Amino acid sequence: MKNLRIGGFFLQFHGYILLACFVGLILFSLFSGVVGVSLAQILVLSIFIVFTAALILTGKKVKLGNRKYKIIGLALAAISLVTSPVGMILGLVSLFFQVKGSGEYTNT
């Protein structure tokens, strides 16, 4: 379970970093004087929110060793590899520990 706890922690950590960036972008857009919001911006932010929530929630389930989230955790860690340099590092670490602890999942 130790490897899964570490892998899940790094998934959650990446999610919290993205959440902080999201809040920063919102605050920046509010105080920068930008008047309009386009549909493309709303679409990108919606995808950003869903990905962030998925990282945080899946990281929590991986830390608990829930077998149902094994593939989702690996997929999110793989997607994290292409999001940003920080995401690449956190995704690699999470992938490493999830693969190393793949036999530790429980049936819950």
Side-chain angles (χ1 to χ4, degrees):
M1 283 295 280
K2 181 180 179 184
N3 292 322
L4 294 180
R5 285 190 186 118
I6 296 171
F9 168 78
F10 280 104
L11 276 180
Q12 279 187 307
F13 187 63
H14 186 212
Y16 287 126
I17 288 175
L18 286 178
L19 184 63
C21 291
F22 175 68
V23 169
L25 283 173
I26 295 292
L27 291 175
F28 176 76
S29 67
L30 287 175
F31 295 115
S32 67
V34 177
V35 176
V37 177
S38 70
L39 185 62
Q41 289 172 329
I42 293 171
L43 180 65
V44 168
L45 288 177
S46 299
I47 292 170
F48 195 70
I49 290 169
V50 169
F51 183 63
T52 301
L55 280 171
I56 292 170
L57 296 175
T58 303
K60 180 179 179 181
K61 296 295 184 177
V62 168
K63 276 176 37 177
L64 295 174
N66 194 333
R67 185 176 295 279
K68 295 177 187 176
Y69 291 88
K70 180 179 180 178
I71 305 267
I72 297 169
L74 291 171
L76 286 174
I79 292 170
S80 294
L81 296 175
V82 296
T83 57
S84 66
V86 172
M88 184 179 79
I89 293 168
L90 295 174
L92 276 173
V93 173
S94 181
L95 270 175
F96 174 76
F97 282 107
Q98 285 186 62
V99 169
K100 188 175 177 183
S102 63
E104 300 174 358
Y105 282 98
T106 61
N107 290 328
T108 59

XYZ file of all heavy atoms in Angstrom:
817
model
N 0.821 -1.203 0.000
C 0.000 0.000 0.000
C 0.860 1.260 0.000
O 0.379 2.308 -0.378
C -0.910 0.016 1.225
C -2.110 -0.897 1.132
S -3.263 -0.440 -0.135
C -4.160 0.857 0.651
N 2.114 1.149 0.438
C 2.954 2.335 0.525
C 3.157 2.961 -0.852
O 3.103 4.180 -0.998
C 4.298 1.980 1.155
C 5.223 3.144 1.299
C 6.537 2.742 1.927
C 7.446 3.954 2.023
N 8.759 3.622 2.537
N 3.398 2.137 -1.862
C 3.609 2.663 -3.216
C 2.362 3.348 -3.745
O 2.452 4.386 -4.404
C 4.031 1.532 -4.159
C 5.396 1.001 -3.820
O 6.297 1.748 -3.458
N 5.563 -0.305 -3.915
N 1.205 2.777 -3.479
C -0.041 3.387 -3.945
C -0.315 4.699 -3.223
O -0.840 5.646 -3.824
C -1.216 2.431 -3.750
C -1.176 1.175 -4.607
C -2.391 0.306 -4.319
C -1.129 1.533 -6.077
N 0.030 4.758 -1.955
C -0.146 6.014 -1.215
C 0.718 7.120 -1.820
O 0.289 8.253 -1.956
C 0.196 5.826 0.254
C -0.862 5.079 1.006
C -0.598 5.118 2.503
N -1.563 4.274 3.178
C -1.259 3.215 3.892
N -0.002 2.860 4.051
N -2.198 2.507 4.466
N 1.937 6.773 -2.181
C 2.835 7.768 -2.778
C 2.327 8.167 -4.160
O 2.280 9.351 -4.497
C 4.280 7.224 -2.840
C 4.809 7.004 -1.428
C 5.180 8.179 -3.607
C 6.130 6.266 -1.374
N 1.942 7.187 -4.986
C 1.422 7.483 -6.322
C 0.162 8.330 -6.268
O -0.003 9.292 -7.029
N -0.747 7.998 -5.367
C -1.967 8.776 -5.210
C -1.698 10.171 -4.685
O -2.340 11.139 -5.088
N -0.716 10.284 -3.795
C -0.350 11.601 -3.272
C 0.109 12.518 -4.396
O -0.283 13.683 -4.460
C 0.756 11.467 -2.214
C 1.381 12.779 -1.847
C 0.726 13.642 -0.982
C 2.597 13.157 -2.379
C 1.287 14.865 -0.657
C 3.166 14.375 -2.061
C 2.508 15.235 -1.193
N 0.940 12.000 -5.296
C 1.438 12.841 -6.374
C 0.342 13.206 -7.372
O 0.373 14.294 -7.947
C 2.645 12.191 -7.063
C 3.910 12.385 -6.285
C 4.454 11.351 -5.557
C 4.544 13.610 -6.259
C 5.611 11.531 -4.827
C 5.700 13.811 -5.524
C 6.235 12.762 -4.808
N -0.634 12.325 -7.574
C -1.791 12.698 -8.399
C -2.559 13.842 -7.747
O -2.917 14.832 -8.399
C -2.726 11.504 -8.586
C -2.420 10.508 -9.691
C -3.462 9.407 -9.699
C -2.357 11.180 -11.033
N -2.821 13.707 -6.451
C -3.540 14.758 -5.743
C -2.743 16.055 -5.712
O -3.307 17.136 -5.881
C -3.835 14.328 -4.306
C -5.036 13.439 -4.173
C -5.365 13.195 -2.714
O -4.512 12.789 -1.941
N -6.611 13.445 -2.354
N -1.447 15.962 -5.504
C -0.601 17.149 -5.445
C -0.653 17.908 -6.767
O -0.767 19.132 -6.783
C 0.831 16.736 -5.098
C 1.760 17.878 -4.851
C 1.541 18.744 -3.792
C 2.853 18.091 -5.667
C 2.403 19.809 -3.553
C 3.716 19.143 -5.443
C 3.492 20.006 -4.387
N -0.607 17.176 -7.872
C -0.710 17.815 -9.180
C -2.077 18.490 -9.333
O -2.180 19.592 -9.870
C -0.473 16.808 -10.291
C -0.419 17.422 -11.649
N -0.851 16.770 -12.762
C -0.013 18.634 -12.074
C -0.705 17.552 -13.815
N -0.197 18.691 -13.423
N -3.115 17.833 -8.851
C -4.448 18.425 -8.911
C -4.541 19.711 -8.111
O -5.132 20.698 -8.553
N -3.942 19.732 -6.919
C -3.974 20.943 -6.092
C -3.143 22.067 -6.697
O -3.484 23.246 -6.583
C -3.532 20.640 -4.662
C -4.565 19.866 -3.882
C -4.246 18.679 -3.245
C -5.881 20.325 -3.788
C -5.197 17.974 -2.533
C -6.835 19.619 -3.091
C -6.488 18.453 -2.460
O -7.446 17.748 -1.767
N -2.038 21.722 -7.351
C -1.251 22.748 -8.050
C -2.080 23.350 -9.179
O -2.108 24.576 -9.366
C 0.075 22.158 -8.578
C 1.024 21.897 -7.427
C 0.721 23.102 -9.584
C 2.298 21.201 -7.831
N -2.770 22.503 -9.942
C -3.624 23.014 -11.015
C -4.767 23.862 -10.466
O -5.149 24.866 -11.074
C -4.177 21.859 -11.850
C -3.204 21.176 -12.778
C -3.885 20.017 -13.502
C -2.641 22.150 -13.785
N -5.313 23.465 -9.331
C -6.374 24.244 -8.710
C -5.873 25.630 -8.315
O -6.557 26.636 -8.535
C -6.929 23.506 -7.498
C -8.111 24.145 -6.782
C -9.317 24.212 -7.716
C -8.452 23.358 -5.532
N -4.678 25.705 -7.759
C -4.095 26.996 -7.399
C -3.868 27.855 -8.646
O -4.130 29.064 -8.626
C -2.789 26.786 -6.646
N -3.420 27.235 -9.732
C -3.239 27.969 -10.991
C -4.580 28.454 -11.531
O -4.681 29.571 -12.047
C -2.547 27.093 -12.027
S -0.839 26.727 -11.635
N -5.596 27.631 -11.414
C -6.929 27.998 -11.873
C -7.444 29.213 -11.102
O -7.953 30.163 -11.697
C -7.883 26.812 -11.711
C -9.308 27.122 -12.044
C -9.688 27.394 -13.337
C -10.270 27.149 -11.055
C -11.000 27.681 -13.651
C -11.584 27.435 -11.348
C -11.954 27.709 -12.657
N -7.295 29.205 -9.792
C -7.735 30.338 -8.973
C -6.921 31.581 -9.339
O -7.473 32.682 -9.446
C -7.609 30.000 -7.469
C -7.811 31.235 -6.607
C -8.603 28.920 -7.093
N -5.636 31.410 -9.577
C -4.799 32.533 -9.999
C -5.241 33.115 -11.329
O -5.271 34.338 -11.507
N -5.592 32.249 -12.275
C -6.082 32.739 -13.573
C -7.399 33.492 -13.438
O -7.605 34.515 -14.083
C -6.258 31.566 -14.545
C -5.003 31.000 -15.163
C -5.333 29.736 -15.960
C -4.353 32.019 -16.065
N -8.280 32.987 -12.600
C -9.557 33.661 -12.377
C -9.327 35.039 -11.761
O -9.902 36.037 -12.209
C -10.474 32.813 -11.461
C -10.858 31.521 -12.146
C -11.697 33.586 -11.027
C -11.757 31.689 -13.340
N -8.480 35.101 -10.728
C -8.194 36.384 -10.091
C -7.514 37.349 -11.052
O -7.834 38.540 -11.082
C -7.326 36.176 -8.849
C -8.006 35.471 -7.677
C -7.002 35.210 -6.563
C -9.176 36.283 -7.169
N -6.609 36.844 -11.868
C -5.937 37.687 -12.850
C -6.929 38.255 -13.858
O -6.881 39.442 -14.187
C -4.841 36.901 -13.575
C -4.170 37.681 -14.661
C -3.246 38.663 -14.344
C -4.460 37.433 -15.988
C -2.632 39.390 -15.341
C -3.850 38.150 -16.997
C -2.924 39.139 -16.678
N -7.834 37.408 -14.332
C -8.803 37.886 -15.319
C -9.794 38.880 -14.712
O -10.258 39.790 -15.384
C -9.551 36.718 -15.957
O -10.363 36.080 -15.004
N -10.107 38.722 -13.431
C -11.012 39.663 -12.770
C -10.375 41.039 -12.586
O -11.034 42.060 -12.761
C -11.454 39.124 -11.408
C -12.442 37.963 -11.416
C -12.674 37.465 -9.989
C -13.752 38.376 -12.053
N -9.110 41.063 -12.235
C -8.453 42.323 -11.923
C -7.655 42.922 -13.077
O -7.097 44.007 -12.938
C -7.538 42.151 -10.707
C -8.297 41.822 -9.457
C -8.127 40.602 -8.829
C -9.194 42.728 -8.910
C -8.827 40.295 -7.677
C -9.907 42.429 -7.755
C -9.724 41.213 -7.140
N -7.599 42.242 -14.214
C -6.831 42.777 -15.337
C -7.648 43.722 -16.211
O -7.104 44.371 -17.086
C -6.278 41.642 -16.194
O -7.342 40.956 -16.827
N -8.929 43.776 -15.987
C -9.763 44.692 -16.748
C -10.303 44.098 -18.036
O -10.841 44.816 -18.868
N -10.159 42.804 -18.225
C -10.701 42.154 -19.411
C -12.217 42.116 -19.281
O -12.755 41.656 -18.281
C -10.137 40.722 -19.568
C -10.760 40.019 -20.750
C -8.637 40.775 -19.694
N -12.897 42.616 -20.312
C -14.342 42.762 -20.217
C -15.079 41.513 -20.679
O -15.944 40.998 -19.994
C -14.808 43.986 -21.039
C -16.316 44.091 -21.025
C -14.168 45.242 -20.514
N -14.735 40.988 -21.824
C -15.495 39.879 -22.393
C -14.872 38.524 -22.152
O -13.682 38.399 -21.921
N -15.718 37.533 -22.197
C -15.267 36.148 -22.084
C -15.800 35.400 -23.298
O -16.993 35.452 -23.591
C -15.791 35.495 -20.783
C -15.384 34.043 -20.712
C -15.297 36.252 -19.577
N -14.910 34.708 -23.995
C -15.338 33.994 -25.196
C -15.752 32.565 -24.859
O -15.451 32.040 -23.784
C -14.207 33.978 -26.227
O -13.160 33.150 -25.779
N -16.418 31.952 -25.797
C -16.842 30.566 -25.630
C -15.639 29.627 -25.542
O -15.661 28.656 -24.793
C -17.767 30.166 -26.783
C -18.401 28.793 -26.707
C -19.284 28.695 -25.467
C -19.219 28.518 -27.946
N -14.588 29.944 -26.284
C -13.380 29.117 -26.240
C -12.743 29.155 -24.851
O -12.275 28.129 -24.347
C -12.381 29.593 -27.287
N -12.738 30.321 -24.216
C -12.184 30.419 -22.866
C -12.998 29.602 -21.877
O -12.442 28.933 -21.006
C -12.145 31.873 -22.412
C -11.113 32.705 -23.127
C -11.245 34.172 -22.775
O -12.332 34.665 -22.500
N -10.119 34.877 -22.791
N -14.308 29.657 -22.009
C -15.176 28.882 -21.129
C -14.955 27.396 -21.327
O -14.892 26.629 -20.362
C -16.657 29.263 -21.356
C -16.890 30.701 -20.900
C -17.590 28.304 -20.628
C -18.245 31.247 -21.270
N -14.789 26.959 -22.578
C -14.549 25.545 -22.877
C -13.225 25.071 -22.281
O -13.163 24.018 -21.645
C -14.568 25.308 -24.387
C -14.333 23.884 -24.841
C -15.479 22.992 -24.377
C -14.183 23.830 -26.340
N -12.167 25.864 -22.449
C -10.858 25.493 -21.918
C -10.895 25.434 -20.395
O -10.377 24.494 -19.786
C -9.770 26.473 -22.411
C -8.472 26.286 -21.643
C -9.535 26.300 -23.895
N -11.516 26.401 -19.763
C -11.608 26.401 -18.307
C -12.450 25.246 -17.794
O -12.155 24.674 -16.742
C -12.163 27.740 -17.805
C -11.203 28.915 -17.912
C -11.883 30.199 -17.457
C -9.943 28.686 -17.108
N -13.483 24.860 -18.535
C -14.305 23.716 -18.136
C -13.498 22.422 -18.173
O -13.576 21.603 -17.250
C -15.522 23.594 -19.045
O -16.318 24.739 -18.956
N -12.723 22.242 -19.220
C -11.865 21.057 -19.328
C -10.828 21.070 -18.200
O -10.538 20.041 -17.584
C -11.194 20.997 -20.714
C -12.251 20.735 -21.781
C -10.102 19.936 -20.756
C -11.753 20.895 -23.198
N -10.290 22.239 -17.920
C -9.310 22.421 -16.853
C -9.895 22.027 -15.500
O -9.258 21.324 -14.716
C -8.897 23.897 -16.870
C -7.655 24.222 -16.108
C -6.416 23.814 -16.556
C -7.720 24.975 -14.955
C -5.267 24.130 -15.869
C -6.585 25.306 -14.255
C -5.352 24.881 -14.719
N -11.119 22.443 -15.234
C -11.783 22.120 -13.968
C -12.027 20.619 -13.852
O -11.787 20.017 -12.801
C -13.104 22.895 -13.832
C -12.830 24.381 -13.632
C -13.939 22.377 -12.678
C -14.062 25.242 -13.741
N -12.501 19.996 -14.922
C -12.790 18.560 -14.898
C -11.495 17.762 -14.680
O -11.472 16.824 -13.877
C -13.497 18.126 -16.200
C -13.558 16.620 -16.326
C -14.892 18.723 -16.259
N -10.425 18.138 -15.356
C -9.154 17.435 -15.204
C -8.614 17.590 -13.785
O -8.120 16.630 -13.181
C -8.136 17.950 -16.227
C -6.818 17.241 -16.183
C -6.722 15.887 -16.465
C -5.664 17.924 -15.859
C -5.511 15.224 -16.426
C -4.439 17.279 -15.811
C -4.366 15.932 -16.102
N -8.722 18.799 -13.233
C -8.260 19.042 -11.868
C -9.047 18.211 -10.861
O -8.471 17.576 -9.974
C -8.377 20.545 -11.535
O -7.583 21.283 -12.466
C -7.918 20.830 -10.132
N -10.366 18.206 -10.994
C -11.205 17.421 -10.078
C -10.907 15.930 -10.215
O -10.851 15.202 -9.212
C -12.681 17.694 -10.350
N -10.696 15.474 -11.448
C -10.388 14.058 -11.669
C -9.064 13.678 -11.006
O -8.945 12.597 -10.409
C -10.340 13.758 -13.163
N -8.064 14.548 -11.100
C -6.773 14.257 -10.463
C -6.914 14.149 -8.948
O -6.393 13.215 -8.326
C -5.757 15.353 -10.797
C -5.082 15.272 -12.147
C -4.276 16.538 -12.407
C -4.192 14.064 -12.241
N -7.628 15.086 -8.358
C -7.758 15.102 -6.895
C -8.553 13.891 -6.411
O -8.145 13.190 -5.486
C -8.397 16.424 -6.433
C -7.431 17.592 -6.696
C -8.753 16.361 -4.953
C -8.031 18.960 -6.500
N -9.685 13.623 -7.038
C -10.539 12.512 -6.592
C -9.910 11.149 -6.868
O -9.960 10.250 -6.033
C -11.910 12.614 -7.241
C -12.726 13.853 -6.853
C -14.014 13.923 -7.656
C -13.009 13.865 -5.369
N -9.306 10.995 -8.039
C -8.678 9.719 -8.364
C -7.451 9.481 -7.496
O -7.206 8.351 -7.068
C -8.294 9.674 -9.855
O -9.464 9.914 -10.633
C -7.706 8.342 -10.238
N -6.691 10.538 -7.218
C -5.539 10.397 -6.325
C -5.956 9.905 -4.950
O -5.287 9.067 -4.350
N -7.088 10.404 -4.466
C -7.593 9.959 -3.160
C -7.946 8.472 -3.198
O -7.622 7.716 -2.278
C -8.824 10.784 -2.791
C -9.426 10.420 -1.469
C -10.634 11.297 -1.162
C -11.254 10.908 0.160
N -12.428 11.708 0.466
N -8.605 8.029 -4.264
C -9.003 6.624 -4.373
C -7.793 5.712 -4.576
O -7.762 4.588 -4.071
C -9.997 6.433 -5.520
C -11.310 7.161 -5.309
C -12.064 6.595 -4.133
C -13.415 7.263 -3.997
N -14.208 6.714 -2.926
N -6.793 6.174 -5.320
C -5.576 5.374 -5.513
C -4.841 5.228 -4.184
O -4.332 4.159 -3.859
C -4.675 5.999 -6.603
C -3.297 5.371 -6.609
C -5.321 5.848 -7.970
N -4.800 6.301 -3.389
C -4.150 6.228 -2.073
C -4.822 5.193 -1.185
O -4.168 4.535 -0.388
C -4.202 7.592 -1.387
C -3.094 8.500 -1.808
C -3.138 9.901 -1.243
C -3.608 10.104 0.128
N -3.522 11.513 0.567
N -6.131 5.031 -1.334
C -6.858 4.045 -0.541
C -6.720 2.629 -1.097
O -7.106 1.664 -0.451
C -8.342 4.424 -0.469
C -8.657 5.730 0.265
C -10.137 6.056 0.140
C -8.253 5.637 1.714
N -6.171 2.499 -2.312
C -5.970 1.190 -2.913
C -7.197 0.632 -3.610
O -7.316 -0.583 -3.781
N -8.119 1.474 -4.024
C -9.342 1.038 -4.689
C -9.025 0.539 -6.095
O -8.566 1.288 -6.942
C -10.340 2.194 -4.732
C -11.727 1.753 -5.085
O -11.917 0.748 -5.756
N -12.700 2.506 -4.626
N -9.288 -0.736 -6.345
C -8.947 -1.366 -7.627
C -9.680 -0.747 -8.821
O -9.168 -0.727 -9.934
C -9.251 -2.861 -7.553
C -8.830 -3.635 -8.785
C -9.072 -5.122 -8.631
N -8.266 -5.723 -7.604
C -6.991 -6.097 -7.753
N -6.395 -5.892 -8.885
N -6.345 -6.654 -6.761
N -10.877 -0.209 -8.582
C -11.662 0.383 -9.670
C -10.954 1.579 -10.306
O -11.210 1.908 -11.461
C -13.028 0.845 -9.159
C -13.925 -0.264 -8.693
C -15.208 0.303 -8.145
C -16.055 -0.775 -7.507
N -17.267 -0.212 -6.884
N -10.070 2.212 -9.570
C -9.405 3.421 -10.055
C -7.992 3.165 -10.558
O -7.239 4.107 -10.797
C -9.402 4.481 -8.948
C -10.780 5.010 -8.673
C -11.615 4.398 -7.753
C -11.265 6.090 -9.376
C -12.893 4.857 -7.527
C -12.544 6.571 -9.154
C -13.349 5.951 -8.230
O -14.616 6.405 -8.016
N -7.644 1.896 -10.757
C -6.301 1.547 -11.200
C -6.021 2.107 -12.599
O -5.036 2.819 -12.799
C -6.139 0.025 -11.201
C -4.792 -0.461 -11.633
C -4.732 -1.979 -11.563
C -3.390 -2.489 -11.983
N -3.300 -3.950 -11.884
N -6.881 1.813 -13.553
C -6.678 2.256 -14.940
C -6.829 3.772 -15.046
O -6.058 4.422 -15.750
C -7.694 1.553 -15.864
C -7.593 0.055 -15.700
C -7.525 2.003 -17.297
C -6.714 -0.683 -16.618
N -7.810 4.323 -14.345
C -8.033 5.769 -14.402
C -6.817 6.504 -13.831
O -6.374 7.515 -14.393
C -9.313 6.148 -13.630
C -10.527 5.507 -14.285
C -9.484 7.656 -13.573
C -11.795 5.607 -13.468
N -6.268 6.003 -12.742
C -5.083 6.621 -12.150
C -3.890 6.581 -13.081
O -3.164 7.569 -13.226
N -3.688 5.451 -13.737
C -2.581 5.342 -14.692
C -2.802 6.267 -15.890
O -1.864 6.908 -16.372
C -2.423 3.895 -15.155
C -1.921 2.910 -14.102
C -2.007 1.482 -14.620
C -0.508 3.252 -13.687
N -4.041 6.354 -16.368
C -4.343 7.219 -17.511
C -4.145 8.693 -17.163
O -3.568 9.458 -17.952
C -5.769 6.979 -17.986
N -4.606 9.102 -15.988
C -4.426 10.500 -15.586
C -2.954 10.842 -15.377
O -2.516 11.946 -15.710
C -5.227 10.801 -14.326
C -6.741 10.918 -14.516
C -7.427 11.078 -13.173
C -7.080 12.076 -15.426
N -2.191 9.905 -14.839
C -0.754 10.137 -14.681
C -0.087 10.257 -16.052
O 0.812 11.089 -16.235
C -0.123 9.018 -13.870
N -0.535 9.471 -17.016
C 0.023 9.550 -18.370
C -0.357 10.871 -19.043
O 0.466 11.489 -19.726
C -0.457 8.369 -19.206
N -1.584 11.321 -18.847
C -2.003 12.608 -19.411
C -1.224 13.741 -18.761
O -0.888 14.737 -19.418
C -3.528 12.804 -19.237
C -4.287 11.814 -20.115
C -3.940 14.227 -19.581
C -5.774 11.767 -19.847
N -0.898 13.591 -17.492
C -0.132 14.622 -16.785
C 1.253 14.824 -17.393
O 1.854 15.885 -17.233
C 0.032 14.247 -15.308
O -1.203 14.247 -14.661
N 1.750 13.818 -18.092
C 3.077 13.920 -18.696
C 3.157 15.020 -19.740
O 4.231 15.572 -19.980
C 3.481 12.587 -19.329
C 3.655 11.414 -18.383
C 3.928 10.142 -19.174
C 4.767 11.673 -17.396
N 2.049 15.355 -20.379
C 2.064 16.344 -21.461
C 1.442 17.682 -21.064
O 1.340 18.572 -21.894
C 1.360 15.798 -22.720
C 2.097 14.618 -23.285
C -0.081 15.447 -22.430
N 1.026 17.841 -19.820
C 0.356 19.080 -19.440
C 1.324 20.232 -19.201
O 1.078 21.342 -19.645
C -0.510 18.878 -18.179
O 0.302 18.395 -17.121
C -1.640 17.914 -18.445
N 2.393 19.996 -18.483
C 3.368 21.039 -18.162
C 4.641 20.365 -17.670
O 4.641 19.162 -17.404
C 2.804 21.960 -17.073
O 2.656 21.249 -15.874
N 5.734 21.109 -17.524
C 6.948 20.499 -16.975
C 6.740 19.937 -15.570
O 7.227 18.854 -15.255
C 7.960 21.646 -16.970
C 7.503 22.560 -18.048
C 5.993 22.471 -18.032
N 6.002 20.659 -14.734
C 5.719 20.161 -13.385
C 4.835 18.925 -13.470
O 5.047 17.939 -12.759
C 5.057 21.267 -12.530
C 4.586 20.718 -11.207
C 6.000 22.424 -12.340
N 3.852 18.955 -14.358
C 2.976 17.803 -14.556
C 3.738 16.595 -15.052
O 3.418 15.457 -14.687
N 4.771 16.830 -15.878
C 5.568 15.718 -16.375
C 6.314 15.039 -15.226
O 6.315 13.814 -15.112
C 6.561 16.190 -17.432
C 7.350 15.053 -18.051
S 8.486 15.576 -19.320
C 9.812 16.203 -18.343
N 6.896 15.829 -14.355
C 7.643 15.268 -13.229
C 6.698 14.525 -12.282
O 6.950 13.379 -11.900
C 8.406 16.377 -12.486
C 9.498 16.935 -13.386
C 8.997 15.861 -11.184
C 10.120 18.208 -12.890
N 5.583 15.176 -11.912
C 4.637 14.542 -10.996
C 3.973 13.322 -11.633
O 3.721 12.322 -10.963
C 3.585 15.559 -10.548
C 4.121 16.731 -9.722
C 3.019 17.737 -9.458
C 4.736 16.251 -8.441
N 3.701 13.396 -12.937
C 3.119 12.253 -13.640
C 4.067 11.067 -13.688
O 3.652 9.917 -13.505
N 5.350 11.334 -13.942
C 6.343 10.251 -13.958
C 6.459 9.575 -12.599
O 6.486 8.346 -12.506
C 7.716 10.791 -14.373
C 7.983 10.915 -15.860
C 9.311 11.613 -16.105
C 7.969 9.563 -16.515
N 6.529 10.378 -11.549
C 6.650 9.813 -10.207
C 5.401 9.000 -9.860
O 5.488 7.888 -9.338
C 6.895 10.934 -9.169
C 6.845 10.397 -7.764
C 8.226 11.607 -9.426
N 4.235 9.555 -10.185
C 2.985 8.842 -9.899
C 2.898 7.541 -10.689
O 2.507 6.506 -10.149
C 1.790 9.742 -10.207
O 0.600 9.073 -9.919
N 3.249 7.593 -11.984
C 3.247 6.370 -12.791
C 4.185 5.323 -12.209
O 3.838 4.143 -12.120
C 3.673 6.687 -14.226
C 2.597 7.044 -15.213
C 3.210 7.447 -16.548
C 1.630 5.922 -15.407
N 5.382 5.748 -11.829
C 6.366 4.817 -11.279
C 5.811 4.093 -10.057
O 5.864 2.868 -9.968
C 7.658 5.570 -10.921
C 8.666 4.723 -10.220
C 9.420 3.801 -10.916
C 8.853 4.838 -8.852
C 10.356 3.004 -10.274
C 9.783 4.046 -8.189
C 10.535 3.127 -8.908
N 5.257 4.849 -9.119
C 4.782 4.225 -7.882
C 3.487 3.438 -8.089
O 3.255 2.447 -7.406
C 4.617 5.272 -6.780
C 5.923 5.669 -6.169
C 6.488 6.900 -6.442
C 6.611 4.797 -5.346
C 7.695 7.265 -5.887
C 7.822 5.144 -4.784
C 8.374 6.384 -5.058
N 2.655 3.855 -9.035
C 1.442 3.077 -9.292
C 1.772 1.750 -9.952
O 1.172 0.725 -9.631
C 0.477 3.874 -10.183
C -0.231 4.987 -9.444
C -1.256 5.639 -10.323
O -2.201 4.987 -10.763
N -1.077 6.914 -10.597
N 2.716 1.769 -10.887
C 3.109 0.517 -11.545
C 3.848 -0.377 -10.555
O 3.622 -1.591 -10.514
C 3.970 0.819 -12.798
C 4.601 -0.449 -13.335
C 3.130 1.492 -13.860
N 4.711 0.218 -9.740
C 5.451 -0.559 -8.746
C 4.510 -1.199 -7.729
O 4.740 -2.317 -7.271
C 6.448 0.357 -8.035
C 7.409 -0.342 -7.131
C 8.427 0.642 -6.577
C 9.351 -0.053 -5.595
N 10.300 0.897 -5.003
N 3.429 -0.526 -7.389
C 2.493 -1.046 -6.403
C 1.230 -1.623 -7.010
O 0.201 -1.696 -6.345
N 1.294 -2.051 -8.265
C 0.078 -2.526 -8.934
C -0.506 -3.786 -8.298
O -1.685 -4.064 -8.454
C 0.349 -2.767 -10.414
O 1.317 -3.785 -10.578
N 0.275 -4.541 -7.566
C -0.247 -5.729 -6.893
C -0.843 -5.445 -5.534
O -1.351 -6.346 -4.872
N -0.809 -4.186 -5.099
C -1.266 -3.826 -3.757
C -2.718 -3.369 -3.710
O -3.198 -3.028 -2.645
C -0.376 -2.707 -3.205
C 1.086 -3.083 -3.106
C 1.966 -1.907 -2.693
O 1.445 -0.776 -2.525
O 3.173 -2.107 -2.549
N -3.390 -3.315 -4.849
C -4.782 -2.842 -4.864
C -5.681 -3.823 -4.122
O -5.486 -5.034 -4.174
C -5.290 -2.671 -6.293
C -4.796 -1.415 -6.956
C -3.702 -1.436 -7.811
C -5.426 -0.212 -6.725
C -3.250 -0.287 -8.424
C -4.981 0.952 -7.340
C -3.908 0.902 -8.181
O -3.455 2.047 -8.789
N -6.687 -3.296 -3.444
C -7.668 -4.122 -2.754
C -8.917 -4.239 -3.618
O -9.039 -3.579 -4.636
C -8.040 -3.517 -1.386
O -8.615 -2.225 -1.598
C -6.830 -3.400 -0.496
N -9.854 -5.043 -3.215
C -11.069 -5.248 -3.997
C -12.161 -4.226 -3.717
O -13.216 -4.278 -4.308
C -11.637 -6.656 -3.739
C -10.747 -7.708 -4.344
O -10.119 -7.476 -5.373
N -10.688 -8.862 -3.719
N -11.922 -3.278 -2.825
C -12.958 -2.293 -2.490
C -13.021 -1.185 -3.489
O -12.130 -0.887 -4.190
C -12.706 -1.690 -1.094
O -11.422 -1.075 -1.082
C -12.828 -2.744 -0.035
